[in-house]
Amino acid sequence: MKSIICKRTTNFLLQAAVSSALLSGVAAVQAQESMLEEVVVTAQKRSERLIEVPISITTLSAETIEQSGVKELKELGDLTPNLMISQNSDFGTNIVIRGVGANSRNIGFDSRVGVYLDGVYLGQSPAANQGMIDLAQVEVLRGPQGTLFGKNTVAGAISLTSVKPGDEFEGSVGVNVGNYDNLELQGSVTVPFTDTTSMKLYGNKTTRDGYIDNVFNGDKVNERDVLSGRVQLRSALTDSLEMNISADYLEQDRKGFNGEPLTDTFGFARPDEGAAKYKISQQTLIEDKELKGASVTFDYDTDGGYLFKSITAYRDSEIFYDADPDYDSAEFLGVLYTDAYEQTTQEFQIISPDDSSFKYVAGIYYYQQDSTTDRDAIAGTGTVFFPGAGAEVPISVFGIDPTMKVVDIDGAVDTESYAIYANGTYDLTDRLTLGVGFRYGEETKDVDWSIDGSNSGAFRIATTTVKDSRTDTSFDPTISLNYAVFEDSYIYGRVSTGSKSGGYNLDFINVDQVEAGIEFDEETVTSYEIGYKGEFPDQNLRLGVALFYSEFEDYQVNQYVDLGGGRTALSITNAAEVVTQGVEVDLTYQPTVNLQLTAALGLLDAEFDSFPGGDAEGGDASGNELPYAPKVTASLGAQYYYPLPSIESSLLLRADYAYTDGYYITASNDEGYTLADGTEVAFGEVDSYGTISARIGLVSDAETWEVSVWGRNLTDNDYQNYSFRDFFGTILGGYAMPRTYGVEAKYNF
């Protein structure tokens, strides 16, 4: 592996190593006073201790999620090294692990990171940004996970585990109020019907005003307005057979946000209005989505210790997106999207007993998805400034009839896939364990899609119909060795492979793209990882270190390319080769019963090893860094409970710091955009930034109530966290949410 550690990160690692050694010595003295809770994960489809699983994993408990103030999936990046999640519209949520990710705003293009709830794949980008509510644990698995988590997990997987119904009557109510008129109401109740059957209901309603002023119409945009709920039924049908039924629903209606225009419509000059941070002047973007799903799981335990599992699931996701691609207050052009995904999955598993030297999980998996899209570009009567004419012009200047649709897209992609998989471990000796696994899959995409750009004039949007079918087959093996150096201390090596199916570029494509072909090939990855996991002494200190090197072949790149004259096009091409490599460190230290310290570090070097012609302007992108791949990500956390016996409660003190190094947004590695007057706007490159969050609370010893004061981004850091170039050449950027704070109370009964 070639060197990726610069001088500053080398010093950081040396300091961390010395600190770890000192902490372990202190822990030996204080071992009798404290003990870390054992962390159990289900990354390999069975319950196992975290330190015994040869995969780089970050786990977040229910307490960590609650006390850190994480409310949405997109906020997980603050707590997890080498994880980036886009902060703009949910329509194109982009999850990046180890520099590798993608959004699926295109029904012919899949994401690279799978998000799963209780083992069920939640679907494409519009469904990814889940609320972090009523969860027992979150596991972020880095590297290819196709052997166990299925299709299109070449970068990794995020596994969410919900809180299951208990066998006693209990419940909770909570309220959270804060600035920007934030109001969150939540409640749950578990009702046992019999000794073997119980039901749980959970509901959440969150509203918050936007923090970006639209000076055109007075709206506050980038608001939150979400209603969600879940109902679960757990029943022990016999002593050996348990049934779990779950149904969930999420509805979001909000004035969304795609980015602040840093230039005028055609990227010529700065905008006349709304140019300041957190201000825009344009038609308001609407983003409404509805997510729902249900699953039925049967667990059957045999007398011999085998577990047979069946998971049947249905998911339905629909998002409506009303965008303003000219980013101007004039009604020049509007775009309406309605995308929907309906999927059914069936999985059967057999899990061997835990008391054998040979343990395995084997299964078969079926996935069927019907995805549809209806997209319209609608001309308006307003005018925008066009530098080619030196004046305000209507859309008719570009050869467009404003009385007709500019572009009409309608179509569907039906996906069907089958897979068989197995993953097992064999104890070669008392200390050495061999792990092997594979997944064989076949996936077919049937596309019936049309685009009518006959009224697009100078923008030359294509007019064509695509009726086609493609099938990808893959065999993805994995092998690992796990060695117990001594009790509760393991080193491991792992080689894993993965694949991401090919597809079609079904978006606002132009005539030239149709002629070149809109189909792209399957991508594959081979990843090598060595690591260490240990708990010592007496479990006061937990340390995990992973070094990885991954090679991607035919890597699929989704980006805007420059067509000249203020025109761009959405392109999907296969890069010849991508290499990502780096280091991850996770540390948890509990010097006393009441104090816990955490630290995490991610070092990353991710680049296009070979990508001729991959630059947005057609140049060679070989050697360029991957987008959203900061070289350093780090976090520090401290949580302390101070006993107050006089009032039978404890004072909770928590603080979190997250750091992200600078990174590029585009495959071209742009470092700014020069306007006609010679000045530059921030585009393509994001500077490093850090944020601080904290919480002070009072928690009853009986855990019946809790009241907290919380704050996020306490330094009010207004750093830019993304930028991009849209259809007309507009340069846009987004900035971190300003300081937020509030009071949260919860009562358990």
Side-chain angles (χ1 to χ4, degrees):
M1 183 188 297
K2 61 183 178 181
S3 175
I4 65 165
I5 306 177
C6 61
K7 182 177 179 180
R8 58 176 173 172
T9 53
T10 302
N11 292 337
F12 187 98
L13 282 176
L14 290 173
Q15 294 172 10
V18 173
S19 300
S20 296
L22 293 173
L23 289 175
S24 62
V26 175
V29 176
Q30 298 180 328
Q32 71 278 8
E33 298 182 13
S34 62
M35 181 171 290
L36 282 174
E37 290 186 8
E38 184 174 82
V39 177
V40 176
V41 297
T42 57
Q44 299 189 126
K45 304 291 187 182
R46 66 166 72 239
S47 296
E48 299 172 290
R49 298 171 68 201
L50 171 66
I51 62 172
E52 296 181 14
V53 179
I55 301 173
S56 178
I57 306 173
T58 291
T59 62
L60 303 173
S61 66
E63 181 185 25
T64 299
I65 295 169
E66 182 177 350
Q67 305 299 8
S68 64
V70 170
K71 297 297 183 182
E72 295 180 282
L73 187 89
K74 66 171 60 176
E75 297 169 353
L76 281 183
D78 291 344
L79 304 175
T80 308
N82 282 341
L83 171 67
M84 298 283 290
I85 303 179
S86 59
Q87 299 298 303
N88 50 337
S89 166
D90 286 354
F91 177 64
T93 298
N94 185 11
I95 305 175
V96 180
I97 295 179
R98 292 178 172 174
V100 177
N103 70 68
S104 53
R105 56 156 277 168
N106 177 328
I107 65 169
F109 185 76
D110 300 317
S111 60
R112 289 189 175 91
V113 177
V115 181
Y116 295 80
L117 174 63
D118 296 330
V120 176
Y121 177 56
L122 292 180
Q124 301 286 29
S125 287
N129 187 33
Q130 296 283 315
M132 306 303 288
I133 56 175
D134 198 36
L135 296 178
Q137 185 163 286
V138 175
E139 300 172 23
V140 179
L141 292 74
R142 306 181 191 90
Q145 302 297 326
T147 302
L148 291 166
F149 282 90
K151 66 188 290 289
N152 300 332
T153 52
V154 291
I158 299 177
S159 178
L160 313 176
T161 303
S162 65
V163 179
K164 300 297 186 295
D167 54 9
E168 297 181 357
F169 178 80
E170 59 185 0
S172 67
V173 292
V175 60
N176 188 359
V177 296
N179 60 334
Y180 297 106
D181 286 335
N182 180 81
L183 175 62
E184 179 183 5
L185 303 173
Q186 58 179 306
S188 70
V189 61
T190 298
V191 180
F193 297 129
T194 68
D195 292 341
T196 60
T197 302
S198 59
M199 182 176 70
K200 181 177 183 180
L201 300 172
Y202 181 89
N204 179 286
K205 173 65 175 178
T206 300
T207 57
R208 190 206 66 221
D209 286 348
Y211 56 91
I212 298 168
D213 293 323
N214 190 342
V215 298
F216 166 63
N217 56 19
D219 285 345
K220 300 281 189 178
V221 302
N222 218 12
E223 62 178 355
R224 286 196 70 195
D225 189 349
V226 181
L227 174 67
S228 60
R230 182 183 300 131
V231 57
Q232 296 170 285
L233 178 70
R234 180 180 62 86
S235 180
L237 302 179
T238 69
D239 291 342
S240 302
L241 181 61
E242 180 175 286
M243 176 182 69
N244 284 274
I245 300 176
S246 177
D248 62 271
Y249 178 81
L250 183 148
E251 181 181 43
Q252 174 177 281
D253 303 302
R254 75 186 195 110
K255 298 168 185 172
F257 178 69
N258 209 21
E260 297 184 27
L262 306 180
T263 70
D264 61 9
T265 300
F266 295 97
F268 179 72
R270 295 183 185 276
D272 293 333
E273 295 182 278
K277 286 185 178 180
Y278 307 112
K279 289 186 183 296
I280 62 174
S281 178
Q282 63 188 70
Q283 306 292 324
T284 295
L285 182 152
I286 302 297
E287 183 181 73
D288 299 340
K289 69 177 183 179
E290 183 179 62
L291 313 176
K292 53 190 174 184
S295 65
V296 180
T297 302
F298 290 97
D299 293 283
Y300 179 71
D301 290 293
T302 69
D303 293 338
Y306 288 88
L307 172 63
F308 291 89
K309 182 186 287 282
S310 169
I311 305 174
T312 307
Y314 169 82
R315 304 292 310 175
D316 189 306
S317 306
E318 182 173 333
I319 187 163
F320 172 75
Y321 186 72
D322 183 354
D324 182 24
D326 55 75
Y327 298 97
D328 191 274
S329 57
E331 293 185 3
F332 185 74
L333 183 72
V335 180
L336 306 176
Y337 300 76
T338 300
D339 289 359
Y341 302 88
E342 188 175 356
Q343 70 182 49
T344 302
T345 56
Q346 175 63 58
E347 186 169 7
F348 295 105
Q349 301 173 5
I350 178 172
I351 303 173
S352 67
D354 289 331
D355 57 0
S356 171
S357 60
F358 176 49
K359 296 185 283 288
Y360 63 87
V361 176
I364 58 176
Y365 182 79
Y366 171 75
Y367 172 91
Q368 195 274 331
Q369 176 184 267
D370 296 329
S371 53
T372 60
T373 186
D374 183 2
R375 304 182 176 188
D376 297 321
I378 309 296
T381 58
T383 62
V384 296
F385 182 81
F386 181 57
E392 292 277 332
V393 298
I395 201 166
S396 58
V397 167
F398 298 94
I400 293 172
D401 182 352
T403 66
M404 300 170 57
K405 286 184 181 179
V406 180
V407 182
D408 185 4
I409 295 177
D410 186 38
V413 175
D414 296 337
T415 304
E416 188 171 44
S417 65
Y418 307 84
I420 58 172
Y421 63 89
N423 193 76
T425 60
Y426 180 72
D427 297 330
L428 299 174
T429 69
D430 290 341
R431 292 192 173 191
L432 183 63
T433 299
L434 171 68
V436 293
F438 76 90
R439 187 182 193 94
Y440 174 80
E442 180 178 291
E443 177 171 293
T444 300
K445 282 186 169 76
D446 293 316
V447 58
D448 184 357
W449 179 84
S450 65
I451 179 171
D452 182 358
S454 57
N455 188 38
S456 61
F459 297 103
R460 303 179 68 243
I461 301 299
T463 298
T464 189
T465 296
V466 180
K467 289 189 177 182
D468 197 12
S469 178
R470 63 169 290 129
T471 299
D472 292 306
T473 59
S474 61
F475 179 75
D476 300 318
T478 182
I479 186 170
S480 65
L481 282 172
N482 200 21
Y483 180 71
V485 182
F486 48 85
E487 186 178 5
D488 296 333
S489 187
Y490 299 84
I491 58 174
Y492 69 88
R494 177 183 178 89
V495 180
S496 56
T497 61
S499 57
K500 180 179 183 293
S501 57
Y504 303 87
N505 184 8
L506 306 178
D507 215 312
F508 288 95
I509 56 176
N510 64 32
V511 174
D512 297 331
Q513 290 173 294
V514 171
E515 293 177 354
I518 64 171
E519 188 174 356
F520 52 89
D521 294 330
E522 176 188 44
E523 74 176 43
T524 59
V525 58
T526 301
S527 181
Y528 307 88
E529 185 175 313
I530 59 175
Y532 166 83
K533 293 184 180 184
E535 292 181 349
F536 54 91
D538 290 341
Q539 299 181 334
N540 280 349
L541 180 67
R542 182 184 300 116
L543 175 65
V545 181
L547 291 82
F548 63 90
Y549 177 89
S550 302
E551 291 184 345
F552 290 80
E553 300 288 341
D554 293 322
Y555 186 85
Q556 300 162 5
V557 181
N558 188 1
Q559 64 175 330
Y560 277 98
V561 295
D562 191 346
L563 302 178
R567 297 176 301 121
T568 63
L570 285 162
S571 170
I572 302 178
T573 53
N574 290 96
E577 186 173 298
V578 161
V579 172
T580 72
Q581 53 188 334
V583 181
E584 288 142 0
V585 181
D586 282 284
L587 180 104
T588 302
Y589 174 55
Q590 190 156 342
T592 72
V593 174
N594 297 321
L595 176 62
Q596 185 174 98
L597 306 174
T598 58
L601 172 68
L603 305 178
L604 178 65
D605 179 23
E607 67 175 35
F608 294 102
D609 198 53
S610 176
F611 194 13
D615 186 276
E617 297 180 355
D620 191 353
S622 302
N624 285 1
E625 295 180 20
L626 264 64
Y628 294 98
K631 289 188 176 296
V632 182
T633 51
S635 65
L636 296 171
Q639 184 164 294
Y640 181 68
Y641 285 95
Y642 182 79
L644 298 172
S646 61
I647 57 174
E648 298 182 335
S649 62
S650 296
L651 182 67
L652 163 69
L653 303 172
R654 182 181 178 99
D656 291 280
Y657 172 75
Y659 171 81
T660 301
D661 203 7
Y663 54 91
Y664 290 107
I665 297 294
T666 65
S668 304
N669 287 185
D670 298 287
E671 297 181 350
Y673 180 83
T674 303
L675 301 175
D677 62 4
T679 62
E680 283 199 353
V681 296
F683 165 66
E685 185 180 22
V686 170
D687 293 331
S688 60
Y689 56 86
T691 59
I692 298 174
S693 301
R695 177 178 293 256
I696 302 174
L698 196 61
V699 184
S700 75
D701 294 340
E703 298 183 349
T704 55
W705 55 266
E706 177 179 347
V707 179
S708 302
V709 177
W710 57 269
R712 294 180 64 83
N713 190 13
L714 290 175
T715 59
D716 205 21
N717 192 342
D718 60 354
Y719 58 90
Q720 186 184 77
N721 51 24
Y722 69 91
S723 62
F724 69 100
R725 187 178 186 184
D726 212 336
F727 178 76
F728 288 120
T730 318
I731 303 299
L732 299 111
Y735 303 95
M737 187 172 182
R739 180 192 299 118
T740 55
Y741 50 86
V743 179
E744 187 170 11
K746 186 176 182 181
Y747 176 71
N748 302 314
F749 57 88

